[in-house]
Amino acid sequence: MTDAPTTGTAEEAAKTDEAGALARRLLFLQEQEKAIDEEKQSIGRRLAAIQTTKAHDYGGVTVEVHAGRRTLDAKRFEQAYPLSAATAAYYVPKPQPLSKLQQLIPGGVPDECTKTGQPWVTASVTEAGHE
């Protein structure tokens, strides 16, 4: 029965070795993922700077440039539409999405009260029938 502790220890050692190898592989993959994400962002920014049209075919690869997301610049909006002291004392302001504010404010939200995010780019294989 001296084999039982040795076998248990060997199994534990094997599991520890496997766990260590898996942990190192996971770390490697996370580092690769970060490098790939950074390269994708760099390529996307470059394509967005080069390509002026929304969609273009490059030898079987369709590249689409999407405009950045337009959002409310809360500080500028508060400066443009300040709460009066009486209103602020009675009502608690609740943030609204830009789409809702566009409907509530006559003439819509002024452009100086909005900000636009970075454009983003997607690439896909062009369908054979649309070449």
Side-chain angles (χ1 to χ4, degrees):
M1 296 227 172
T2 58
D3 291 343
T6 307
T7 304
T9 305
E11 287 176 15
E12 290 174 11
K15 286 180 181 178
T16 300
D17 289 344
E18 180 185 11
L22 289 171
R24 286 187 294 281
R25 179 68 179 157
L26 179 60
L27 181 61
F28 172 77
L29 292 172
Q30 287 173 340
E31 290 169 355
Q32 291 296 317
E33 180 180 33
K34 182 179 177 186
I36 289 169
D37 286 344
E38 289 172 359
E39 185 175 1
K40 282 172 43 181
Q41 290 174 3
S42 174
I43 290 171
R45 283 191 300 271
R46 189 75 181 112
L47 278 169
I50 292 171
Q51 182 174 317
T52 56
T53 58
K54 183 176 178 178
H56 190 79
D57 186 306
Y58 295 102
V61 177
T62 299
V63 174
E64 293 184 73
V65 176
H66 306 274
R69 184 173 176 221
R70 189 166 170 246
T71 58
L72 182 69
D73 186 332
K75 288 184 180 184
R76 288 185 180 172
F77 184 79
E78 288 174 16
Q79 290 172 350
Y81 299 95
L83 285 174
S84 68
T87 305
Y90 185 71
Y91 292 103
V92 176
K94 178 181 173 190
Q96 298 290 325
L98 181 58
S99 58
K100 177 88 172 188
L101 289 173
Q102 293 286 36
Q103 296 169 2
L104 295 174
I105 297 174
V109 175
D111 287 340
E112 60 270 7
C113 293
T114 63
K115 53 187 174 183
T116 304
Q118 292 293 323
W120 51 283
V121 179
T122 58
S124 59
V125 175
T126 303
E127 293 182 29
H130 293 121
E131 291 183 14

